[in-house]
Amino acid sequence: MNITHIVGGSRLIGDIWVSGAKNACLPMLAATLLTSDACVLRNVPILRDIQTMLEIFRNVHADVTWLNHHTLKIGTSQSDNRFPFEYVSQIRGSVCLMGACIGRYGHATVPKPGGCRIGERPIDLHIKGFQALGYDVKEEKDLIFISAGKLHGATIHLCGPFGSTMTGTMNVIMAALPIPETTIIKCAAKEPEVIDFCNCLRSMGADISGDGTSEITIHGGRTLHGYDHTVIGDRIEAGTFACAALATQGKIRIFGLKNGLLSNFITTLSLGGASIFHDFDHIIHVESNGPLSPLDVITGPHPGFPTDLQAQVCALLTQSDGTSTVEDKVFPRRFLYVNELQKMGARIQVSEGKATIHAPTSLTGAMLQATDLRASAALYIAGLCAKGETCVYDTHHLERGYENFCEKLRALGANIFQSNTNKA
Ligand code: EPU
């Protein structure tokens, strides 16, 4: 079992580069199924979830080649679509295989996706979207069967109880591509990863407009060819490092993220008194001005405060100067990590999707269990500002979504290392 050891107390100082965005990259990998041409994807982050997606492609006999450290070439001309349950069920991004597969072949049999334990992860909106286009969808145990009925363009509302759906929007776009009519998605997800995904599809020849707004229009029936696309930087990784720097009273610059992609987060932390801004050269400057003032944070779909930074900001707010609240309106049950922070002395109560954080708290190192990807990052942040040594077990959760996280933290001055016990 891998354990990460963090000895708290070092200020983070220096420069880091963020990797490519996992949540843009996974659907783009799925989109290679839309064409028999080879596709080249650049700035691919080296992560466990990406490796899992590539295992799926190798299993269906796609041609997967690393051209260099972060550049992939994938050809699916010889591939079948017998997707392996073992891998598809490990990650959420695999849900996009459905849209990609029906976009190419008109039918698909895909195991249900997995993903982090952060509450309900239904796919009813994806299915509703496919059905509105004329696809027949059947669910049987762990499998989804999709076949083409009489396909037609449609106006589809993708609004769920907590707003739109990111992977659902991308899936319905792909399912609409072969239909030579117009499809309009209302209440579409507006996340930067959706825009980057649409840029990638446009480079294949797709006719899509309106991405980045709540209404996306697809004129289907265009012939699609291979793409050569560079994935955008990871805004969640950037936000995670910003939280880590502020929690340690540090000063860092973050490179690799286009200006404007993290605005709500930056404005929120500025309101708390942090010196943080994203300049026109796309560099984020982060400097602590002492403990933050208390904040009331509410997550929401983009351009709201990202749910994927909720846990990290909670860890940071244990060091603020008073009582803060953090409410998750996208995944209200995404607070499993709070038990672990409490072992370090954090005073946090969670009720109905809202955490109340009493601060400041002097955290003490402890033995902690990582529960999911972003929760792991929150535990690392808490460890960085705690007294003594923190040991985090089950680091594979973190490796799903952060490339070289420990190495990057160490380069900023963190006292962090990994060990392995041979116990399973
Ligand atoms: N929802 C429904 N029905 C659906 C789909 C979603 O009710 O059919 C609800 C969800 O329960 C949730 C909300 O809609 O309350 C938003 O879910 P969404 O579908 O947007 O999430 P997702 O596409 O499954 C992606 C990211 C998540 C990120 C969310 C929200 C990927 C692979 N995952 O998930 O990333 O939290 O969007 O931005 O793209 C992470 O990286 O740690 C992560 C969990």
Side-chain angles (χ1 to χ4, degrees), residues 152-169:
H152 48 79
T155 296
I156 303 165
H157 291 257
L158 282 187
C159 206
F162 304 108
S164 188
T165 160
M166 199 160 106
T167 49
T169 300

Side-chain angles (χ1 to χ4, degrees), residues 34-247:
L34 290 167
T35 171
S36 56
D37 290 350
C39 298
V40 174
L41 194 54
R42 300 173 195 274
N43 201 28
V44 176
I46 313 295
L47 307 170
R48 196 179 278 259
D49 275 13
I50 299 294
Q51 299 295 0
T52 304
M53 192 69 157
L54 295 181
E55 273 315 306
I56 296 172
F57 276 88
R58 290 190 188 101
N59 267 264
V60 296
H61 307 109
D63 190 3
V64 177
T65 316
W66 285 100
L67 298 182
N68 65 43
H69 194 43
H70 288 103
T71 306
L72 263 175
K73 185 173 175 194
I74 300 193
T76 59
S77 61
Q78 305 296 321
S79 66
D80 57 61
N81 41 24
R82 286 192 289 275
F83 300 109
F85 176 80
E86 179 193 352
Y87 295 109
V88 175
S89 61
Q90 282 180 32
I91 57 173
R92 180 67 178 181
S94 60
V95 73
C96 290
L97 294 167
M98 292 183 200
C101 200
I102 53 181
R104 164 100 163 260
Y105 304 106
H107 60 88
T109 301
V110 184
K112 288 186 183 165
C116 282
R117 285 166 55 216
I118 54 176
E120 294 290 305
R121 312 277 315 253
I123 55 167
D124 56 305
L125 294 170
H126 303 233
I127 292 174
K128 174 183 154 186
F130 297 152
Q131 287 170 333
L133 294 168
Y135 292 96
D136 294 318
V137 184
K138 289 192 182 65
E139 283 186 67
E140 216 172 87
K141 281 190 180 167
D142 294 327
L143 288 175
I144 307 279
F145 299 90
I146 310 171
S147 56
K150 189 171 167 1
L151 299 181
H152 48 79
T155 296
I156 303 165
H157 291 257
L158 282 187
C159 206
F162 304 108
S164 188
T165 160
M166 199 160 106
T167 49
T169 300
M170 303 199 239
N171 249 340
V172 175
I173 291 172
M174 288 190 283
L177 287 175
I179 304 170
E181 292 179 20
T182 298
T183 292
I184 297 173
I185 302 177
K186 291 190 182 266
C187 194
K190 295 185 273 194
E191 272 70 6
E193 291 76 15
V194 176
I195 301 177
D196 197 33
F197 177 70
C198 290
N199 284 336
C200 177
L201 294 181
R202 275 189 286 269
S203 79
M204 301 176 82
D207 184 345
I208 302 169
S209 56
D211 41 302
T213 76
S214 56
E215 186 170 308
I216 296 179
T217 303
I218 304 116
H219 298 292
R222 308 287 189 270
T223 303
L224 301 183
H225 48 78
Y227 67 70
D228 185 334
H229 184 81
T230 302
V231 182
I232 55 166
D234 192 328
R235 64 196 165 103
I236 305 303
E237 185 189 1
T240 302
F241 276 102
C243 289
L246 293 173

Side-chain angles (χ1 to χ4, degrees), residues 282-304:
H282 311 294
I283 304 167
I284 305 177
H285 301 256
V286 186
E287 183 171 3
S288 167
N289 291 321
L292 291 182
S293 309
L295 289 171
D296 294 308
V297 177
I298 301 180
T299 74
H302 194 76

Side-chain angles (χ1 to χ4, degrees), residues 314-327:
C314 262
L316 168 60
L317 287 171
T318 63
Q319 304 304 299
S320 74
D321 200 9
T323 299
S324 298
T325 58
V326 176
E327 185 171 4

